[in-house]
Amino acid sequence: MMKKLSVLLMCVFLVSALFTACSSSSSDSKPITYNMGANPKTLDPQLNNAVEAGSVIVHCFEGLTRKDQNGQIQPGIAKEWKMNEDGTKFTFYLRDAKWSDGKPVTAHDFVYAWRRAVDPNTGAEYAYQLWYVKNGQAITEGKMSPEELGVKAVDDKTLEVELEAPCSYFLQLTAFPTLFPVRKDIIEKYGEGWANNPDTYITNGPMVLAEYSLNDKIVLKKSDTYWNKDAIKAKELVFTMIDDPASELSAFEAGEIDFADAVPAEEIPRLKEEGKVTIKPSLGTYFFCLNVEKPPLNDVRVRKALALAIDRQYIIDNAAKNFALPAYAWVPPGMPDAKEGSDFRKVGGNYISEDYQKNVEEARKLLAEAGYPDGKGFPELTLLYNSEGGHKAIAEAVQEMWKKNLGINIKLDSQEWAVFQETRTQGNYEIARHGWLGDYVDPMTMLDMWHSKSGQNDARWKNSEYDRLIELAKRSGDQKERMEAMHKAEEILMKEMPIIPVYYYTDVYLINPKIKGFYYDPLGFKVFLYATKE
């Protein structure tokens, strides 16, 4: 009897221990839920140009290099590399890494992805990120074949890259989604639909796509094949698609999501006072894009008048309510200049006066010179914005400023995010809301998008001297010469005004205090790879 009782007690103990272990494992595996807003246009690394989808991609893929928990560049799929003396040639040595279907990641996968990005038939808006690689720009312009790109697989584990000129931030670029590897066999077999199906979204990074429900959620789970899986803390991430800020806030306060970064503007002061909101500076600028092919926006005097008639501080305080900094130039603070420790924005200064009344007077003069005194005869233009987020309030404030200060009527229109992106890219607009977050920490990340050949140049603006300066800055290995060229380029941009900077971004978000190890990337990506939820 005693023996039977001992056995029974032992069984109870084992069951209890097993239950405790399972409970602990479950606790360690609590999903982290981040609201990404609208359904992404694409999760294809080469085709995406939105930061929200980019946050999904950086969890699923890995480039030659990667960022650690502190945002520092570390070896990724490349375990090591060497550079020649003049900085124009890199040789990357790949580690034994695997795709999520178990196949090895090879140098050929990078060659295919990079050639695909610059191929004009692909239509990648970020193709210019590979213009640093030899022949990249010529290929994008259709002057050369993608096979002539300066990237070569010496063997399965060795990749050679030849640059047009030394590039001090090239290793930062190799950690950016456009330069991530993709699988040729998958894309050729499944076409564009490969990136929205868990069965065909074959990835090489820390997470895999487990579920994709259109306009609902994306579920990522920890990969069993990732080479550095033991360093990854997150086991399941859920990216929800609540596109209404008020609903997003309600979901956060109800505990349904752990992270919200489209906080209703009117709620930010309260949440800040309650200590619930986090505000981080971002390397980016909120602005309006002017289609210079559409009259009267083809007149620089009109563009300048529109830019000068905006009260940036009023928008920040009363429409956006995001504690941002007013933008009186294009490149945001936080980008380095030639002298160590110096800031490009501080060196360059402002191109728009902080004296708003003075600006309004100048705007009225310019509009009159353009043939529209007090707005008379000015055609009714449309300002287009995406319906998600707080862009409506900003658009309404600008509409009122232009009416009051210039006497012109502007219509407002909105579109769902994916449609809006396509409309703006195709140039089917007159004035459009826009925003840009840097892709690496150098002023070039803000300036080369306005090169006449850039796929991001939605303003359709062209200036040969601007192009020359950008190309000079990209070729030069001399930091002083580079920075001087970029300052001159920004001056041209602000004189021509194809864009209207409004404010320098801050990222305002709410995060569950139970989440530890979250990394905020100043370039806009939200990274939960090393995060846990208590």
Side-chain angles (χ1 to χ4, degrees), residues 322-368:
N322 56 2
F323 302 93
L325 295 173
Y328 301 111
W330 169 237
V331 177
M335 300 289 187
D337 207 276
K339 187 178 179 181
E340 187 174 352
S342 61
D343 186 277
F344 185 90
R345 183 70 284 124
K346 288 184 179 178
V347 173
N350 293 338
Y351 290 99
I352 297 173
S353 172
E354 296 182 33
D355 186 336
Y356 180 54
Q357 291 308 314
K358 177 182 176 182
N359 290 342
V360 170
E361 291 173 10
E362 177 65 18
R364 288 171 177 162
K365 290 179 183 177
L366 286 168
L367 201 64

Side-chain angles (χ1 to χ4, degrees), residues 356-420:
Y356 180 54
Q357 291 308 314
K358 177 182 176 182
N359 290 342
V360 170
E361 291 173 10
E362 177 65 18
R364 288 171 177 162
K365 290 179 183 177
L366 286 168
L367 201 64
E369 289 175 11
Y372 307 104
D374 299 321
K376 293 176 182 177
F378 196 87
E380 187 176 63
L381 302 178
T382 298
L383 191 164
L384 183 67
Y385 61 93
N386 56 300
S387 53
E388 304 81 8
H391 308 298
K392 180 181 180 181
I394 296 173
E396 288 175 340
V398 171
Q399 179 189 44
E400 178 60 28
M401 290 170 191
W402 285 342
K403 173 66 175 176
K404 177 182 176 181
N405 296 319
L406 301 177
I408 63 176
N409 294 310
I410 299 292
K411 291 194 327 185
L412 302 182
D413 192 14
S414 64
Q415 293 178 343
E416 177 268 329
W417 177 231
V419 176
F420 171 74

